[in-house]
Amino acid sequence: MRTPLPGTAPAPAPGPAPDREAPLSLRFSATPRGARLARRLAAQQMDAWGWPYGSPANDVVELVVAELAANAVTHGRVTGRDAELRLRRCGSRRVRVEVSDTRGERLPGPEPAEPDAEHGRGLILVAALCETWGAVPRPGGAGKTVWAVVATPPLTDHG
């Protein structure tokens, strides 16, 4: 048995295995950097649930989170207030994405973009990639929650 070096603590005993079905809930800064973090952690969570990086399900959820988080930090930003991402499995064939921000005076909807416009197509992509999506006033606080349900292939190996 090895003794720890003076001034160091022994390694902690392994804890229980993480709950593979636990939802992800993350507050992120209402900045482009925060939106990137939300997207990356959503992809990591999908991988942990059994939809690996680069799989169609992981890629679609990552893109939906990227669009909704970008909208939250662009259109829903209030200085000093965070946005929030929630991701949860709905059985083995669906994932629900929710992004909340603190501006609730106008709920989003897809609007036609000018042909030369560089912006304005994100929610059209979300609508095309998801089974359903919508926006509701934020429960328990100021703002709104934009949500989307992504169909996924069933988990067969370990999910």
Side-chain angles (χ1 to χ4, degrees):
M1 181 170 161
R2 294 171 35 174
T3 36
L5 297 173
T8 63
D19 182 355
R20 289 184 42 91
E21 296 201 21
L24 170 68
S25 182
L26 165 77
R27 295 184 81 115
F28 61 94
S29 64
T31 64
R33 184 177 186 177
R36 280 192 306 274
L37 175 65
R39 175 182 57 82
R40 288 182 177 183
L41 291 177
Q44 182 179 14
Q45 184 65 53
M46 289 294 289
D47 183 68
W49 281 338
W51 291 288
Y53 293 104
S55 68
N58 193 309
D59 288 348
V60 169
V61 167
E62 186 177 8
L63 186 130
V64 168
V65 169
E67 290 297 335
L68 298 184
N71 283 352
V73 305
T74 302
H75 305 293
R77 184 172 192 270
V78 173
T79 303
R81 296 291 187 94
D82 290 339
E84 184 176 9
L85 167 68
R86 285 177 302 285
L87 200 67
R88 73 182 152 109
R89 288 174 52 174
C90 301
S92 66
R93 298 178 78 87
R94 288 176 183 75
V95 172
R96 182 177 173 101
V97 176
E98 298 178 358
V99 176
S100 299
D101 63 52
T102 52
R103 303 237 358 229
E105 61 271 9
R106 187 175 137 233
L107 296 179
E111 298 174 8
E114 293 296 322
D116 296 346
E118 292 183 19
H119 303 283
R121 294 175 184 83
L123 290 177
I124 294 169
L125 287 172
V126 169
L129 293 169
C130 297
E131 284 188 339
T132 186
W133 76 278
V136 294
R138 188 176 194 174
K144 64 184 168 298
T145 297
V146 182
W147 57 269
V149 176
V150 177
T152 60
L155 292 172
T156 54
D157 293 337
H158 53 283

